[in-house]
Amino acid sequence: METPQSFQPLDRRKVYEQVAEQLLAQIGARHLVSGDPLPSERELTESFGVGRSSIREALRMLESQGVITSANGGTFVVAEAANPLNSSLQLVFALHGDTSVHDLFELRRIIDCEAAAIAAERHTPEHVAALDAATDEMAAALAAERRTDEQLAALDEAIDEMEQTLEANGRDQRFVDADLRFHLTIAEATGNRLLVYSMQAARDVVRRALEQVVNVPRSPESAIVEHRAVREAIAASNPDWARNAMREHLERVERDAEKGVSNG
């Protein structure tokens, strides 16, 4: 296990939230990985210079999120990476009575069927990028069958804002926000709450990728054209067209994302 970097001074926010945030940062930076024990309460108290109650509250917070799990002897270890999402999905079922078994298995068909096709082609999983692409493509197809006029109008508003932002000042956060809103609206148009929650859970990861893509020459202009194609397919209630239009869009975005990373 790598030696954790020094923790940072705490500001005026709730102390336990800051402790939890810094511990999560250590895990995100892979200074602590799945199965690694966290420092003891006493060690954390000394490192952060705070009371033991704040340390305990921070640990309870991370445990409730599924980030860490208790082990023998009252210690905590870093959980598997999928554990927080698993905990969140269980919470969704507990809190939302309208989330049905049908929603769950519809989500599984979207993910599992496309994952099987990808694995057959490539023999190795492509992780987040491939899963996001499969989810977006299938969501577009479902949206074409189920969308409402209000959701179609929301797609138009998102595209219009992307266009206006590009005309006004080019490449800023408004463009990225409108891009994300377009894709989340498609998820909402499926009528599947689990699919919506999954897309929302990936939002921050997708946002970081789009912030790179928006600076690639001609990429924002291409996004507007491709979004309009997806919108037209959904408006026409044509699932195959919607799926293919979304696939073409995501393949181009993936190529531009790779350019953005190499240029960054």
Side-chain angles (χ1 to χ4, degrees):
M1 180 183 74
E2 290 187 43
T3 302
Q5 297 177 348
S6 298
F7 294 110
Q8 301 300 310
L10 304 180
D11 58 33
R12 293 181 178 276
R13 289 176 299 146
K14 290 180 180 178
V15 170
Y16 75 87
E17 291 180 345
Q18 297 178 67
V19 171
E21 184 179 285
Q22 291 198 35
L23 288 171
L24 187 58
Q26 293 284 326
I27 295 169
R30 299 193 64 78
H31 296 302
L32 293 167
V33 299
S34 177
D36 282 350
L38 267 65
S40 67
E41 282 187 12
R42 181 178 59 80
E43 290 171 322
L44 290 172
T45 298
E46 293 174 355
S47 296
F48 284 104
V50 299
R52 184 163 288 192
S53 61
S54 294
I55 297 299
R56 288 176 177 171
E57 189 64 30
L59 294 174
R60 279 195 291 267
M61 179 178 172
L62 292 175
E63 184 180 25
S64 70
Q65 294 172 346
V67 176
I68 62 175
T69 185
S70 59
N72 295 333
T75 60
F76 287 96
V77 299
V78 179
E80 294 289 338
N83 204 51
L85 181 57
N86 182 46
S87 299
S88 297
L89 286 176
Q90 291 183 51
L91 185 60
V92 165
F93 270 95
L95 293 179
H96 293 271
D98 60 344
T99 301
S100 65
V101 172
H102 173 72
D103 284 345
L104 175 62
F105 279 87
E106 190 170 67
L107 177 65
R108 287 201 61 189
R109 284 195 297 275
I110 290 171
I111 294 174
D112 289 351
C113 294
E114 293 299 311
I118 290 167
E121 289 178 354
R122 305 178 185 175
H123 302 291
T124 58
E126 292 296 320
H127 299 121
V128 176
L131 181 57
D132 285 345
T135 302
D136 271 343
E137 289 168 24
M138 295 295 286
L142 282 177
E145 296 176 340
R146 302 175 182 176
R147 57 85 181 166
T148 64
D149 290 341
E150 290 78 10
Q151 288 159 342
L152 200 58
L155 293 178
D156 288 336
E157 289 174 8
I159 295 171
D160 287 345
E161 183 164 351
M162 290 172 69
E163 199 163 42
Q164 291 164 14
T165 302
L166 195 58
E167 290 174 355
N169 51 19
R171 307 157 191 273
D172 65 10
Q173 196 61 45
R174 280 181 56 210
F175 188 96
V176 173
D177 289 343
D179 195 330
L180 282 169
R181 192 162 66 252
F182 179 88
H183 288 273
L184 286 172
T185 299
I186 291 175
E188 290 166 1
T190 68
N192 186 316
R193 299 313 303 169
L194 287 180
L195 184 53
V196 173
Y197 298 142
S198 297
M199 293 290 287
Q200 289 174 337
R203 180 168 47 196
D204 288 343
V205 177
V206 175
R207 181 188 300 279
R208 287 195 291 273
L210 290 178
E211 287 170 350
Q212 295 274 355
V213 171
V214 78
N215 291 306
V216 174
R218 302 299 304 169
S219 188
E221 291 83 356
S222 296
I224 292 171
V225 172
E226 292 157 0
H227 280 200
R228 289 199 184 281
V230 173
R231 182 266 182 210
E232 290 305 314
I234 291 173
S237 301
N238 189 320
D240 289 337
W241 180 14
R243 183 186 295 109
N244 291 334
M246 181 63 81
R247 180 180 295 117
E248 290 175 4
H249 167 59
L250 292 171
E251 287 174 350
R252 197 272 308 161
V253 171
E254 183 179 0
R255 291 193 299 272
D256 283 357
E258 291 172 351
K259 293 177 188 174
V261 170
S262 63
N263 292 337

Coordinates of all heavy atoms in Angstrom, one line a residue, residues 10 13-23 50 53-59 61-62:
L10 N -8.3 22.0 7.3 CA -9.7 22.0 7.2 C -10.3 23.5 7.2 O -9.7 24.3 7.9 CB -10.4 21.2 8.3 CG -9.9 19.8 8.5 CD1 -10.6 19.1 9.6 CD2 -10.1 19.0 7.2
R13 N -16.4 24.5 6.7 CA -17.5 23.6 6.5 C -17.5 22.5 7.7 O -16.6 22.5 8.5 CB -17.4 22.9 5.2 CG -17.6 23.7 4.0 CD -17.4 23.0 2.7 NE -16.0 22.5 2.6 CZ -15.6 21.4 2.0 NH1 -16.5 20.6 1.6 NH2 -14.3 21.1 2.0
K14 N -18.6 21.7 7.7 CA -18.7 20.7 8.7 C -17.4 19.8 8.7 O -17.0 19.3 7.6 CB -19.9 19.8 8.5 CG -21.2 20.5 8.8 CD -22.4 19.6 8.5 CE -23.7 20.4 8.9 NZ -24.9 19.5 8.6
V15 N -16.8 19.6 9.8 CA -15.5 19.0 9.9 C -15.6 17.6 9.4 O -14.7 17.1 8.6 CB -15.0 19.0 11.4 CG1 -13.7 18.1 11.5 CG2 -14.7 20.4 11.8
Y16 N -16.6 16.8 9.8 CA -16.6 15.4 9.3 C -16.8 15.3 7.8 O -16.3 14.3 7.2 CB -17.8 14.6 10.1 CG -19.2 14.9 9.6 CD1 -19.7 14.2 8.5 CD2 -20.0 15.9 10.2 CE1 -21.0 14.5 8.1 CE2 -21.2 16.1 9.7 CZ -21.7 15.4 8.7 OH -23.0 15.7 8.2
E17 N -17.5 16.2 7.2 CA -17.6 16.2 5.7 C -16.2 16.4 5.1 O -15.9 15.8 4.0 CB -18.6 17.3 5.3 CG -20.0 17.0 5.6 CD -21.0 18.1 5.2 OE1 -20.5 19.2 4.8 OE2 -22.2 17.8 5.2
Q18 N -15.4 17.3 5.6 CA -14.1 17.5 5.1 C -13.2 16.3 5.2 O -12.4 16.0 4.4 CB -13.5 18.8 5.7 CG -14.3 20.1 5.4 CD -13.7 21.2 6.2 OE1 -12.6 21.7 5.8 NE2 -14.4 21.8 7.2
V19 N -13.3 15.7 6.4 CA -12.5 14.5 6.6 C -12.9 13.4 5.6 O -12.0 12.8 5.0 CB -12.7 14.0 8.1 CG1 -12.1 12.6 8.3 CG2 -12.2 15.0 9.1
A20 N -14.2 13.2 5.5 CA -14.7 12.2 4.5 C -14.2 12.5 3.1 O -13.8 11.7 2.3 CB -16.2 12.1 4.6
E21 N -14.3 13.8 2.7 CA -13.9 14.3 1.4 C -12.4 14.0 1.1 O -12.0 13.5 0.1 CB -14.1 15.8 1.3 CG -13.8 16.3 -0.1 CD -14.2 17.8 -0.2 OE1 -15.4 18.2 -0.2 OE2 -13.2 18.6 -0.1
Q22 N -11.5 14.2 2.1 CA -10.1 14.0 2.0 C -9.8 12.5 1.9 O -8.9 12.0 1.2 CB -9.3 14.7 3.0 CG -9.4 16.2 2.9 CD -8.2 16.9 3.7 OE1 -7.1 16.4 3.8 NE2 -8.6 18.1 4.2
L23 N -10.5 11.7 2.7 CA -10.3 10.2 2.7 C -10.7 9.7 1.3 O -10.1 8.8 0.7 CB -11.1 9.6 3.8 CG -10.5 9.7 5.2 CD1 -11.5 9.2 6.2 CD2 -9.2 9.0 5.4
V50 N -8.5 16.8 14.8 CA -9.9 17.0 15.2 C -10.3 16.0 16.2 O -9.6 15.0 16.5 CB -10.8 16.9 13.9 CG1 -10.4 17.9 12.9 CG2 -10.7 15.5 13.3
S53 N -15.1 12.2 17.6 CA -16.5 12.2 17.1 C -16.6 12.6 15.6 O -17.4 12.0 14.9 CB -17.3 13.1 18.0 OG -16.9 14.5 17.8
S54 N -15.8 13.6 15.2 CA -15.8 14.0 13.8 C -15.2 12.8 12.9 O -15.7 12.6 11.8 CB -14.9 15.2 13.6 OG -15.5 16.3 14.2
I55 N -14.2 12.1 13.4 CA -13.6 11.0 12.6 C -14.7 9.9 12.5 O -14.9 9.4 11.4 CB -12.4 10.5 13.3 CG1 -11.3 11.6 13.3 CG2 -11.9 9.2 12.6 CD1 -10.8 12.0 11.9
R56 N -15.4 9.6 13.6 CA -16.4 8.6 13.6 C -17.5 8.9 12.6 O -18.0 8.1 11.9 CB -16.9 8.3 15.0 CG -15.9 7.6 15.9 CD -16.4 7.4 17.3 NE -15.4 6.7 18.1 CZ -15.5 6.6 19.4 NH1 -16.6 7.1 20.1 NH2 -14.6 5.9 20.1
E57 N -17.9 10.2 12.6 CA -19.0 10.6 11.7 C -18.6 10.5 10.3 O -19.4 10.1 9.4 CB -19.4 12.0 12.1 CG -20.7 12.5 11.4 CD -21.9 11.7 11.8 OE1 -22.0 11.2 13.0 OE2 -22.8 11.6 11.0
A58 N -17.4 10.9 10.0 CA -16.8 10.8 8.6 C -16.8 9.3 8.2 O -17.2 9.0 7.0 CB -15.4 11.4 8.5
L59 N -16.4 8.4 9.0 CA -16.3 7.0 8.7 C -17.7 6.4 8.5 O -18.0 5.6 7.6 CB -15.6 6.2 9.8 CG -14.1 6.6 9.9 CD1 -13.5 5.8 11.1 CD2 -13.3 6.2 8.7
M61 N -20.3 8.1 7.5 CA -20.7 8.7 6.2 C -20.2 7.9 5.0 O -21.0 7.5 4.1 CB -20.3 10.1 6.1 CG -20.7 10.8 4.8 SD -20.1 12.6 4.9 CE -20.4 13.1 3.2
L62 N -18.9 7.6 5.0 CA -18.3 6.8 3.9 C -18.9 5.3 3.9 O -19.0 4.8 2.8 CB -16.8 6.8 4.1 CG -16.1 8.1 3.8 CD1 -14.6 8.0 4.1 CD2 -16.4 8.6 2.4

